[in-house]
Amino acid sequence: RRGMKPRLVLFLYFFFFIFVLVLSQNERRQNYPRHLVEHGDLIFEKNQKEIYSGYSPTSEHVTSVLENVAQINKLQSIDSVFIPVRVNLIFVGFDGDGHNGLKLERENFQPWFRHIDHELSHIIAPIGNHQTTTHAFATKKTNVKYKVISNVVKISPLVNTIIEDEILWNLRLERHDYAEKNHYVDVFRISTVLSNLLEYLNMTDSYTLFILNPKRPIDESESYGYRTGFSSEDIRILRNSKSRLQSYPEFGPHDDRPTLKLNRSTLSSNPKLNRGNLIADSELWANWYIKNYIANKTTDIDEEEDTDDEDDPHNLHQRLEVESDPHSVESVLEFAHEISKRGTRAEKRYLQKVLNEEIVEANCLVDGWISHERFAFIDLSAGPFQWGPTLTGAGIKTLNSLPRVPEPIEVDDLSLPTTAEKTTLEIIEYQYAELFRIRDMKCNGQSSPFCRSLDSRIRALALKIEESDESFSMMDLLKTKDISAESHRTFVELNRFLSKLGALVSHSFRHLFLPAVPLFATPYTERVTFHLVVVTQHNAYDPLESNSFDHLEFKRELLKFKLPSQEFVFATTKVSMDEDPSIVAAYSASIRTASLFTTSATGAIVNVQQHYLDSMQLESLLHPSHDKKLDFGLDDKDDSSHEGHSTSGVGHNWRHSRHIPIFLFSLNTSYPVLIDKYYQAKALSEAVVVVQNNIERWESRISCNGEPIIWNLKKPLKRALASTILALGGLIPTHISYDEASQRAIQNWFWSIGDNPLSSTSSGHHFSAIHKDIVFRNYVASSLDASIETINEAVELLSHQQLREKPKKPYLDVNFLILLFELLQLKS
């Protein structure tokens, strides 16, 4: 072709030659099954359809049918690639030592958790420029699947004892009222213990889901839950006593008293552990914990400073002893005093925040948690609690979302026979009871041949029982029947509990560990430029100071996702609406008003006007101008910072570089302005849009336990991070997924928990190791999917290339000019 470059032709010729050679060598080297080819940790599933017929490269005979290039080289299209994901399920408190004394054996788990070893597709959710809805929306199917390898782990009952002790020791009243029935526990007091356990067991490289069933430390009429920080009443008491607390000489964030830590040598002594049964190893850890931490001894203590990470496995919290009446105000001040003396650095930082910042809200009480590490936990004894959209929405976390541990059924002991024939007699009694139960279920007073046959068999068994022991009367038979009915009811309730728990665990894999990706592409690039364009219309406050939009914290959280081979560039540009008419025009043309229903402070449903920006309209109007802003910011060395290095040295090639513009509109209006009616930040295909308002307390349309969750619209950091990471790596909110069967976006608000930007139940903004893994896995999955599509298209092209004559040898007489021409057309 006249316009074809010789260098490109040679490159494609060489690529095709290597491709054919590798495939032929693999075919000759091993006889693999036609449907599966395993390559390292990836499993390639090939197309079951035969695409060649009757030709073998080693055959001396040639069929009369002229074949194509794909048939001769035995090239097949690839249906999918499997990526293995390992998840540990650790059940704590199910050895008869937890709530309601429930004891689960191996045979209880197998029927309900065996199905968890399943395959999950790498799915695309309808999240993009348009509003995410529950209407049917067919998304593209990918060629990547995940093979979930679950591992049910049994550990020592001592671990449950430690968890119960930590809950009881750190239990605090929601309100200091003798009639108060709600309690809360600082969740980091539990997650740090679990993190330390996982490090000891060398299970930090895989995902872990803890199912906790501790004994309740309070009455059945009361409840407890988890949150970070203090309750609303404790915050109010501390703020009113600020001067008294700051008078303590120990108060301050500089007391870096080292916390108790597990000796590193202990970890190295357990390089290989039995992954199915860790009772002995977890008991060793429990004994170490009790000896060195609960008993306040100092054997094997590593005297290093603690870190800022609340979930650090080495930051085991010191016991904070409060002697005052827990119902009194003094207990709150004494607890804060203990934190100032012996708390971790993170606890002291939070205490300073409560005392010094103007607006600090209490976080939602929850019964589950996503940690900063690679684990999460569900506490079946906590709560129940509820959260989600206030008025309308699907998948809301309700009081019945979590399965409740079935209550034990107590039946009076009977004087059953204890003769040498006890085993045989028990079998007869069991048969009698089962037949009696079946008759009650099937017959219900009817007189069918089947029911008459059952009556005859029941009478025969009753006669055998009476002959075995004359003291065993018919009244005992009736009691035996009652025992069978109660046992059957217990069996049904247990299976109902396990089925609901199994469904919860299965859903957690999709929402927590293997979420969907958005409609727009989020490929890996060697260089990523985050360009923050701050658009202001006022001089009332600084948009980028720490008590508004903390730009430094924004940068620190994003740097968690930088791979060693990547370069992250941060640039900031401030633009006034008065100075740029194009931005003013875009903002004015995108502003909208809508009437929305919400709830008032009294619980009544009211209609309010909501001002918002139309994100798609705004992006389309800003698109011609934001390239100019990007170049301006990148050329200004004072406003940009670089992290890492680029191995390619290419900055503007789309294969190696991405620009993510982040438009922060800082407003000073008397009414809140959102994006697309409901959001404070939104990721679009080519930009991220964030709105900042000078309103520090705004009741959002998400509620928790009957109370609206308060947003500080002056601090859009949390939601800006969530939208930016969605644009960078396709990390969608944890409560959203996609159902391929109905082709609809689905929601499960239970997993909208944790101290992270994707959570709606806390004010935290710290990404976890799980989130980092998801972004990195999305890079791999998107690359694999694109590669498989390219290979399949190449195989399809080769299958259309017919040979001009019967070949005497394989791989000859291939019309490379035609092949290259079609490949170039495909590439273009």
Side-chain angles (χ1 to χ4, degrees):
R1 191 177 176 184
R2 179 174 298 177
M4 186 184 303
K5 296 182 180 180
R7 183 177 301 175
L8 180 60
V9 173
L10 292 176
F11 172 78
L12 291 175
Y13 182 92
F14 179 76
F15 172 78
F16 173 76
F17 178 78
I18 296 299
F19 179 74
V20 172
L21 181 62
V22 170
L23 286 179
S24 63
Q25 292 298 322
N26 287 342
E27 179 75 21
R28 295 176 182 178
R29 184 166 55 246
Q30 65 180 42
N31 295 321
Y32 48 78
R34 296 195 55 77
H35 61 288
L36 285 179
V37 180
E38 189 168 346
H39 179 72
D41 283 339
L42 301 180
I43 301 175
F44 295 82
E45 183 179 356
K46 289 195 170 183
N47 199 325
Q48 300 294 322
K49 182 180 178 182
E50 297 283 350
I51 64 171
Y52 64 95
S53 59
Y55 185 84
S56 173
T58 58
S59 175
E60 297 179 357
H61 304 284
V62 181
T63 61
S64 59
V65 180
L66 293 181
E67 295 161 326
N68 57 55
V69 176
Q71 289 174 330
I72 285 184
N73 294 283
K74 295 187 176 182
L75 302 180
Q76 298 177 342
S77 61
I78 299 175
D79 281 346
S80 55
V81 175
F82 289 86
I83 301 177
V85 178
R86 292 168 174 82
V87 181
N88 306 304
L89 300 176
I90 299 183
F91 292 82
V92 181
F94 291 91
D95 289 304
D97 56 338
H99 181 51
N100 284 341
L102 180 61
K103 185 174 183 179
L104 297 180
E105 302 293 346
R106 185 177 182 86
E107 53 269 19
N108 299 123
F109 287 105
Q110 286 183 347
W112 300 108
F113 294 92
R114 184 185 304 165
H115 73 284
I116 291 179
D117 281 338
H118 55 279
E119 301 167 358
L120 295 175
S121 300
H122 180 69
I123 56 177
I124 299 175
I127 297 177
N129 291 355
H130 294 280
Q131 188 84 4
T132 303
T133 68
T134 56
H135 297 296
F137 191 106
T139 59
K140 173 182 171 293
K141 293 186 179 295
T142 66
N143 299 294
V144 178
K145 296 181 179 179
Y146 299 109
K147 177 65 176 177
V148 179
I149 305 173
S150 60
N151 182 31
V152 180
V153 180
K154 192 174 181 63
I155 61 176
S156 171
L158 271 179
V159 176
N160 183 54
T161 302
I162 292 175
I163 296 298
E164 291 175 347
D165 192 57
E166 289 295 330
I167 293 174
L168 179 61
W169 189 270
N170 296 288
L171 205 64
R172 298 188 55 76
L173 284 167
E174 186 78 352
R175 289 188 298 270
H176 299 276
D177 188 324
Y178 283 94
E180 177 60 35
K181 296 182 180 297
N182 289 329
H183 303 72
Y184 74 93
V185 178
D186 189 338
V187 69
F188 292 127
R189 297 263 166 178
I190 305 299
S191 62
T192 305
V193 174
L194 297 178
S195 181
N196 193 277
L197 169 64
L198 290 177
E199 179 164 344
Y200 178 79
L201 298 178
N202 287 344
M203 298 173 67
T204 56
D205 291 335
S206 56
Y207 301 119
T208 301
L209 179 60
F210 287 94
I211 310 295
L212 306 180
N213 182 39
K215 290 180 180 178
R216 292 173 59 85
I218 50 182
D219 294 337
E220 290 294 331
S221 61
E222 301 177 305
S223 63
Y224 74 91
Y226 300 95
R227 68 154 53 97
T228 61
F230 300 132
S231 66
S232 297
E233 182 162 316
D234 285 355
I235 292 174
R236 180 183 59 80
I237 293 172
L238 291 173
R239 293 175 71 86
N240 293 337
S241 307
K242 177 179 177 180
S243 58
R244 179 176 172 183
L245 282 172
Q246 291 182 335
S247 65
Y248 293 139
E250 300 91 349
F251 185 82
H254 306 295
D255 181 12
D256 291 330
R257 183 178 185 274
T259 53
L260 295 171
K261 302 176 183 181
L262 182 58
N263 195 314
R264 297 277 181 172
S265 62
T266 310
L267 298 176
S268 61
S269 64
N270 294 280
K272 295 182 179 180
L273 301 172
N274 184 353
R275 287 286 162 252
N277 191 335
L278 296 175
I279 295 178
D281 298 285
S282 59
E283 189 166 341
L284 286 175
W285 171 86
N287 289 327
W288 170 88
Y289 185 87
I290 293 172
K291 175 184 178 182
N292 295 291
Y293 181 60
I294 296 181
N296 285 326
K297 296 183 179 180
T298 56
T299 308
D300 295 329
I301 300 302
D302 186 2
E303 296 293 330
E304 297 179 1
E305 291 185 353
D306 62 341
T307 65
D308 287 330
D309 189 0
E310 295 91 339
D311 270 337
D312 192 314
H314 301 129
N315 286 352
L316 294 176
H317 299 66
Q318 292 286 319
R319 285 285 173 86
L320 304 180
E321 300 179 359
V322 178
E323 299 179 355
S324 302
D325 183 357
H327 297 90
S328 66
V329 174
E330 285 298 320
S331 66
V332 182
L333 302 180
E334 188 177 352
F335 184 69
H337 188 201
E338 285 289 296
I339 289 178
S340 67
K341 291 193 302 181
R342 300 195 296 157
T344 63
R345 186 182 303 173
E347 287 179 321
K348 296 174 184 177
R349 187 174 64 245
Y350 173 76
L351 184 58
Q352 288 276 10
K353 176 182 176 181
V354 169
L355 297 177
N356 297 326
E357 292 192 9
E358 294 184 4
I359 303 296
V360 177
E361 300 292 337
N363 290 316
C364 179
L365 265 181
V366 296
D367 38 22
W369 193 251
I370 301 174
S371 75
H372 292 173
E373 307 299 326
R374 290 184 176 90
F375 73 90
F377 73 81
I378 303 170
D379 189 342
L380 301 181
S381 301
F385 302 109
Q386 56 186 352
W387 57 84
T390 304
L391 291 180
T392 60
I396 297 174
K397 168 64 169 66
T398 67
L399 300 179
N400 299 317
S401 294
L402 290 183
R404 310 311 294 179
V405 177
E407 298 181 0
I409 299 175
E410 298 180 0
V411 181
D412 295 337
D413 293 336
L414 301 177
S415 300
L416 297 178
T418 58
T419 60
E421 295 81 13
K422 178 180 178 181
T423 303
T424 304
L425 184 58
E426 287 179 346
I427 294 175
I428 296 174
E429 293 170 359
Y430 175 76
Q431 292 175 346
Y432 169 82
E434 286 298 300
L435 289 177
F436 216 115
R437 181 179 61 82
I438 293 173
R439 190 188 67 173
D440 288 347
M441 293 172 54
K442 300 291 185 180
C443 297
N444 194 20
Q446 299 178 5
S447 182
S448 63
F450 173 75
C451 295
R452 289 194 294 271
S453 174
L454 282 179
D455 290 336
S456 175
R457 294 173 62 184
I458 288 173
R459 287 193 296 270
L461 289 174
L463 182 61
K464 287 184 179 181
I465 294 174
E466 289 182 340
E467 292 175 352
S468 300
D469 192 336
E470 296 180 355
S471 63
F472 195 75
S473 64
M474 292 304 296
M475 182 59 67
D476 295 325
L477 287 175
L478 294 178
K479 290 182 178 180
T480 306
K481 180 257 180 184
D482 292 338
I483 293 176
S484 176
E486 293 297 321
S487 300
H488 176 68
R489 184 162 68 91
T490 304
F491 177 76
V492 170
E493 289 184 1
L494 178 61
N495 282 345
R496 185 182 295 116
F497 163 76
L498 290 174
S499 64
K500 196 170 183 179
L501 183 60
L504 176 66
V505 171
S506 181
H507 292 161
S508 69
F509 289 171
R510 172 58 77 190
H511 287 269
L512 183 58
F513 303 126
L514 302 170
V517 294
L519 292 171
F520 47 80
T522 56
Y524 165 84
T525 54
E526 295 174 353
R527 186 183 187 195
V528 182
T529 301
F530 301 95
H531 189 182
L532 179 63
V533 181
V534 183
V535 182
T536 61
Q537 58 149 206
H538 63 86
N539 294 317
Y541 60 92
D542 185 356
L544 298 182
E545 62 182 1
S546 59
N547 62 351
S548 52
F549 183 80
D550 194 338
H551 180 243
L552 295 179
E553 187 67 15
F554 180 77
K555 176 180 175 182
R556 278 192 293 267
E557 287 299 318
L558 290 179
L559 283 174
K560 292 180 179 180
F561 297 89
K562 189 184 79 67
L563 290 166
S565 59
Q566 281 184 305
E567 176 189 11
F568 277 13
V569 180
F570 296 87
T572 304
T573 304
K574 290 185 178 181
V575 180
S576 175
M577 287 191 181
D578 298 334
E579 301 173 356
D580 197 320
S582 62
I583 293 181
V584 175
Y587 176 83
S588 301
S590 303
I591 198 73
R592 304 283 190 272
T593 304
S595 294
L596 301 177
F597 288 101
T598 185
T599 56
S600 65
T602 60
I605 298 178
V606 296
N607 188 295
V608 297
Q609 285 190 348
Q610 180 62 64
H611 300 266
Y612 68 95
L613 292 173
D614 187 320
S615 61
M616 294 184 62
Q617 176 75 8
L618 184 65
E619 185 193 32
S620 64
L621 294 175
L622 287 176
H623 185 270
S625 62
H626 72 63
D627 288 336
K628 176 185 67 175
K629 303 300 176 186
L630 278 172
D631 294 337
F632 175 79
L634 292 177
D635 291 338
D636 189 350
K637 296 182 180 179
D638 294 334
D639 291 337
S640 62
S641 59
H642 299 252
E643 296 291 340
H645 64 280
S646 175
T647 57
S648 65
V650 180
H652 296 282
N653 191 315
W654 69 269
R655 296 174 181 270
H656 302 281
S657 178
R658 286 184 65 193
H659 289 174
I660 301 180
I662 306 164
F663 291 96
L664 172 63
F665 286 86
S666 181
L667 309 176
N668 185 33
T669 58
S670 59
Y671 50 86
V673 178
L674 300 180
I675 301 171
D676 295 343
K677 302 178 186 177
Y678 306 105
Y679 311 107
Q680 196 178 7
K682 187 173 181 180
L684 303 171
S685 58
E686 297 184 4
V688 175
V689 182
V690 186
V691 175
Q692 180 185 51
N693 298 264
N694 193 18
I695 300 175
E696 297 181 319
R697 293 193 85 259
W698 181 74
E699 293 185 358
S700 69
R701 291 177 175 84
I702 301 174
S703 62
C704 177
N705 301 319
E707 299 291 336
I709 295 178
I710 303 300
W711 284 8
N712 187 344
L713 299 183
K714 191 178 179 181
K715 288 186 173 183
L717 174 63
K718 178 184 177 76
R719 282 159 280 277
L721 282 169
S723 298
T724 304
I725 205 61
L726 174 61
L728 173 67
L731 182 62
I732 70 173
T734 49
H735 68 278
I736 298 178
S737 188
Y738 182 72
D739 181 29
E740 294 180 288
S742 63
Q743 297 184 345
R744 300 173 187 272
I746 57 176
Q747 301 179 64
N748 185 347
W749 283 86
F750 172 75
W751 287 113
S752 188
I753 53 178
D755 187 43
N756 59 76
L758 308 183
S759 168
S760 299
T761 54
S762 77
S763 57
H765 59 267
H766 302 294
F767 289 108
S768 72
I770 296 176
H771 300 139
K772 291 171 57 179
D773 293 343
I774 292 172
V775 169
F776 299 157
R777 195 186 301 117
N778 286 346
Y779 290 155
V780 175
S782 62
S783 298
L784 285 173
D785 186 49
S787 300
I788 292 173
E789 286 186 353
T790 302
I791 291 175
N792 289 344
E793 289 174 352
V795 171
E796 181 69 18
L797 284 174
L798 293 175
S799 67
H800 288 35
Q801 297 301 316
Q802 299 293 331
L803 298 177
R804 297 179 182 274
E805 61 182 18
K806 299 178 182 179
K808 298 180 180 179
K809 294 182 180 181
Y811 319 126
L812 293 180
D813 200 19
V814 178
N815 195 329
F816 286 103
L817 292 179
I818 296 178
L819 172 65
L820 291 175
F821 177 76
E822 293 204 27
L823 285 175
L824 284 173
Q825 282 188 327
L826 174 64
K827 192 67 178 177
S828 62

